[in-house]
Amino acid sequence: MAAAVRVAVLGRVQDPYRRSLNHWLGGQPGLTLWPCVGRDGLMPQIVAASPQITGAVDITLTAETVFLFGSDCLPAARAAAQNRCQPLEYGFSRRDTLTLSSLDDRQAVVALQRPLRRLDGSWLEPQEWVLQLTVPARPELLLSQAAILLTAGLPLPQHGEKFLL
């Protein structure tokens, strides 16, 4: 069995995005919550930045690290530009890698707008996924969860399976 993908979440301790994403990560097979500073000499493979970050992001990322952030979060965008990491922007513009084509209380359509390099080196071509929601979703959390699964090479729910937020 392959080792779980290491995911770290940047943000303040009481940040609702960080708390929700950490909680979600704790229940996802194939993913493990990881500190940003590394443990046992291992760095996280995916780092997700909260859209609530307002100050400078002081983090060193490697070329293998995928840095996930909302395109509206300027401190995270600056941190991505200062590092050799693989940035993955989500949001609602045509320049974002991952966006929503539609969203309502029961379903979301997640759209990959350009090829995405997964952690295993394979490429995922642009496409859309229809996700059945268990509860109304906060767009930034939904896009982050989908981006983590896609980057890690894990499947998004299909054929009527519910996407757990």
Side-chain angles (χ1 to χ4, degrees):
M1 181 175 161
V5 172
R6 302 178 303 273
V7 183
V9 184
L10 298 178
R12 294 183 179 207
V13 173
Q14 296 302 318
D15 180 342
Y17 169 92
R18 181 175 182 230
R19 291 177 67 195
S20 294
L21 198 54
N22 283 347
H23 178 74
W24 176 80
L25 284 165
Q28 292 300 305
L31 301 173
T32 187
L33 186 58
W34 207 259
C36 287
V37 294
R39 180 179 4 167
D40 300 329
L42 296 174
M43 293 294 292
Q45 295 162 287
I46 300 172
V47 175
S50 169
Q52 305 302 318
I53 292 175
T54 57
V57 177
D58 185 22
I59 188 169
T60 302
L61 303 171
T62 68
E64 293 80 32
T65 305
V66 174
F67 188 45
L68 170 65
F69 59 96
S71 58
D72 292 340
C73 185
L74 295 180
R78 283 194 281 283
Q82 293 170 353
N83 280 276
R84 297 178 304 145
C85 64
Q86 299 175 49
L88 196 168
E89 289 180 275
Y90 65 83
F92 305 104
S93 76
R94 290 188 301 189
R95 69 179 173 89
D96 293 315
T97 301
L98 201 63
T99 191
L100 291 172
S101 295
S102 70
L103 174 66
D104 64 33
D105 289 346
R106 294 186 311 268
Q107 78 174 22
V109 179
V110 174
L112 180 64
Q113 299 191 110
R114 64 191 45 79
L116 173 68
R117 185 175 179 266
R118 292 180 159 172
L119 292 175
D120 67 4
S122 66
W123 288 90
L124 188 59
E125 293 299 319
Q127 58 188 287
E128 291 187 335
W129 296 267
V130 177
L131 304 177
Q132 303 302 316
L133 304 176
T134 57
V135 295
R138 293 194 336 241
E140 68 277 359
L141 190 57
L142 175 67
L143 287 169
S144 296
Q145 292 168 332
I148 290 168
L149 291 172
L150 293 172
T151 302
L154 299 171
L156 292 179
Q158 296 181 15
H159 310 297
E161 298 172 338
K162 297 286 187 177
F163 190 72
L164 302 174
L165 298 173

